[in-house]
Amino acid sequence: MTRNRTTATRAWRNWAGTVTARPARVVSPASVEELTGTIRRAVRDGLRVKAVGTGHSFTAAAATDGVLIRPDLLTGIREIDRAAGTVTVAAGTPLKRLNTALAREGLSLTNMGDIMEQTVAGATSTGTHGTGRDSASIAAQIRALELVTADGSLLRCSAEENPEVFAAARIGLGALGVVTAVTLGVEPVFLLTAREEPMTFDRVAAEFDQHVAENEHFEFYWFPHTGNCNTKRNNRSAGIAAPPGRLSGWIDDELLSNGAFQVACSLGRAVPATIPAVAKISSRALSARTYTDIPYKVFTSPRRVRFVEMEYALPREAAIGALREVKAMIERSPLRVSFPVEIRTAPADDIALSTASGRESAYIAVHLYRGTPYRSYFTAVERIMTAHGGRPHWGKIHTRDAAYLSGVYPRFGEFTAVRDRLDPDRLFGNDYLRRVLGD
């Protein structure tokens, strides 16, 4: 009996509320066979096709007026190969479900981002990443994947099988087909010790390269309108698990990072003049703490305060200079910025449209509370980022187009050539892809 579902059309909105779409129909295939049938039917009906995960992208990468495919029935682990050190997982599986399932099997991803609400395919297709000296993006941990292409066929790719597709499809933006399964490298579960420590902006800026070199995972947050930062260093531990105490963990992760922060953001949106004073209080409220746990419990944290975000990847050596420019810009402007600025790093990788493709990178991410006018701030920051050859995160707000992007991605033409071969009629196209990839 088929479980494929076609639901009545209604407006689709992303997590941040920045994108709305009204597809002609919404389909939840329960198998790869049903997905191929859905795609062939869309071709017959002259409708374009987009797959959507949990909507955590801030851009319109998944928006369509055609057929919107929800992968919520394409979930679960297909296979664990302990000898090869891999797990094959259906594309619609949420990262949080994958992480907990792997932990039960005594396994873990090597690195991950700081939230785990996204689907596996959604996270990898847009280049979701954490921070790391030796590893960062989830897509860089892909060993193989399969996708249904525009002609309804199932294509498998890896470094050995269809390698030119593999080089592009690991971060495919939904432009090459609908991903159905991903094979990720995994390793025996390990412990990470996290050390969180407040630090002045000037000290972090002076010691940035040292911290990156000495730690497996280093990141920091600068609080605009202050000279204060919070740093986080994650390193593997041979010790025993020592998670945060229930009360102290609740205070840091729920009260300060979500509850009190929500109140502060709401106040700042209503009365922007209060933001600098609140930022000084907030940045001083944080205290040093150290804890040890399995990876996903250290890498990720709950994010209940909704926001909009822009993030750029820069050559790592340009990051601190660019951040100083952002700081100076905010200080001389009338802007009032309630969210910290986040800085992370990544090693170079070999994926055509990865923000770290071919170069060691650092990421500068700026956020504002949802509902706060953001264009003036983001435009000013984007001007600084592009002056340094920055590459925008594919799933976060930016204004770049194919003319710019083809200049900062040496393998841009390689990606578009694969797209021309797999989807010449742009079945999987939309306005966002037309802007960033061209026609």
Side-chain angles (χ1 to χ4, degrees):
M1 182 177 68
T2 182
R3 295 171 60 205
N4 183 71
R5 297 179 301 173
T6 300
T7 60
T9 59
R10 61 180 185 273
W12 170 84
R13 290 179 177 82
N14 65 343
W15 178 82
T18 55
V19 179
T20 302
R22 188 173 291 279
R25 56 179 178 256
V26 179
V27 184
S28 297
S31 67
V32 173
E33 292 74 23
E34 290 178 3
L35 173 60
T36 60
T38 296
I39 289 174
R40 287 172 178 151
R41 180 184 169 200
V43 171
R44 290 195 302 269
D45 294 345
L47 296 173
R48 293 187 294 184
V49 175
K50 295 304 297 180
V52 64
T54 54
H56 269 263
S57 287
F58 299 90
T59 66
T64 186
D65 57 1
V67 179
L68 188 72
I69 294 176
R70 289 191 173 275
D72 45 304
L73 299 180
L74 296 172
T75 63
I77 290 176
R78 289 190 185 179
E79 180 186 13
I80 293 174
D81 186 335
R82 294 181 186 274
T86 62
V87 58
T88 300
V89 59
T93 307
L95 287 173
K96 60 185 176 184
R97 194 180 306 170
L98 173 63
N99 285 332
T100 55
L102 287 176
R104 285 196 301 268
E105 297 288 339
L107 299 169
S108 177
L109 297 174
T110 297
N111 200 353
M112 59 195 80
D114 58 6
I115 62 172
M116 53 179 180
E117 302 302 315
Q118 313 101 310
T119 62
V120 170
T124 55
S125 294
T126 54
T128 295
H129 62 89
T131 188
R133 181 185 60 203
D134 309 307
S135 63
S137 83
I138 303 174
Q141 299 169 65
I142 295 177
R143 302 292 174 262
L145 61 81
E146 65 177 39
L147 68 162
V148 177
T149 57
D151 63 2
S153 62
L154 185 67
L155 186 151
R156 294 182 175 86
C157 61
S158 66
E160 295 77 32
E161 184 178 13
N162 296 306
E164 75 290 348
V165 177
F166 187 63
R170 281 173 285 172
I171 298 180
L173 314 184
L176 307 180
V178 177
V179 176
T180 54
V182 175
T183 299
L184 293 158
V186 292
E187 57 180 302
V189 72
F190 52 94
L191 292 173
L192 281 175
T193 293
R195 180 182 173 191
E196 298 177 4
E197 180 183 4
M199 202 174 286
T200 66
F201 180 95
D202 289 339
R203 180 183 168 191
V204 179
E207 298 177 355
F208 178 67
D209 288 336
Q210 176 186 342
H211 289 308
V212 172
E214 293 179 352
N215 296 280
E216 292 176 75
H217 311 276
F218 175 72
E219 64 185 310
F220 72 95
Y221 300 83
W222 165 60
F223 293 82
H225 312 295
T226 80
N228 303 325
C229 298
N230 196 40
T231 65
K232 185 176 182 181
R233 286 165 271 189
N234 299 332
N235 291 286
R236 296 192 184 215
S237 171
I240 60 173
R246 183 171 297 179
L247 178 59
S248 63
W250 179 83
I251 290 172
D252 284 317
D253 296 329
E254 290 296 340
L255 179 60
L256 294 179
S257 297
N258 287 296
F261 189 48
Q262 174 83 54
V263 173
C265 288
S266 298
L267 175 63
R269 186 174 65 185
V271 189
T274 64
I275 288 175
V278 170
K280 289 181 174 64
I281 295 169
S282 300
S283 64
R284 290 172 182 158
L286 298 169
S287 57
R289 64 171 179 164
T290 300
Y291 54 95
T292 301
D293 215 327
I294 60 175
Y296 83 86
K297 294 184 179 181
V298 173
F299 285 130
T300 70
S301 55
R303 289 285 185 269
R304 308 195 204 288
V305 180
R306 300 208 178 197
F307 53 85
V308 292
E309 180 178 2
M310 180 174 71
E311 181 179 63
Y312 267 80
L314 304 181
R316 208 191 83 188
E317 63 273 13
I320 294 301
L323 181 62
R324 289 188 186 279
E325 291 179 51
V326 172
K327 185 172 186 289
M329 178 274 294
I330 292 173
E331 288 171 350
R332 67 174 180 263
S333 78
L335 293 169
R336 295 294 177 260
V337 180
S338 57
F339 256 80
V341 177
E342 181 180 24
I343 293 83
R344 295 179 285 178
T345 67
D349 63 41
D350 64 348
I351 305 170
L353 290 189
S354 167
T355 46
S357 181
R359 74 182 187 194
E360 192 173 357
S361 301
Y363 297 91
I364 297 178
V366 296
H367 316 66
L368 281 177
Y369 186 46
R370 187 176 70 171
T372 304
Y374 63 83
R375 294 192 186 280
S376 295
Y377 178 38
F378 284 13
T379 298
V381 171
E382 189 171 45
R383 190 175 298 120
I384 294 169
M385 298 298 112
T386 55
H388 291 279
R391 298 168 178 170
H393 189 298
W394 297 107
K396 299 177 184 179
I397 292 169
H398 67 94
T399 66
R400 298 301 88 189
D401 60 14
Y404 173 87
L405 295 165
S406 62
V408 295
Y409 282 96
R411 300 174 67 179
F412 189 87
E414 179 183 330
F415 184 95
T416 56
V418 172
R419 185 191 188 203
D420 287 343
R421 177 162 66 86
L422 295 183
D423 187 17
D425 298 322
R426 304 296 187 255
L427 175 69
F428 303 112
N430 63 8
D431 291 342
Y432 176 75
L433 292 183
R434 183 179 301 110
R435 171 163 68 88
V436 300
L437 297 178
D439 249 349

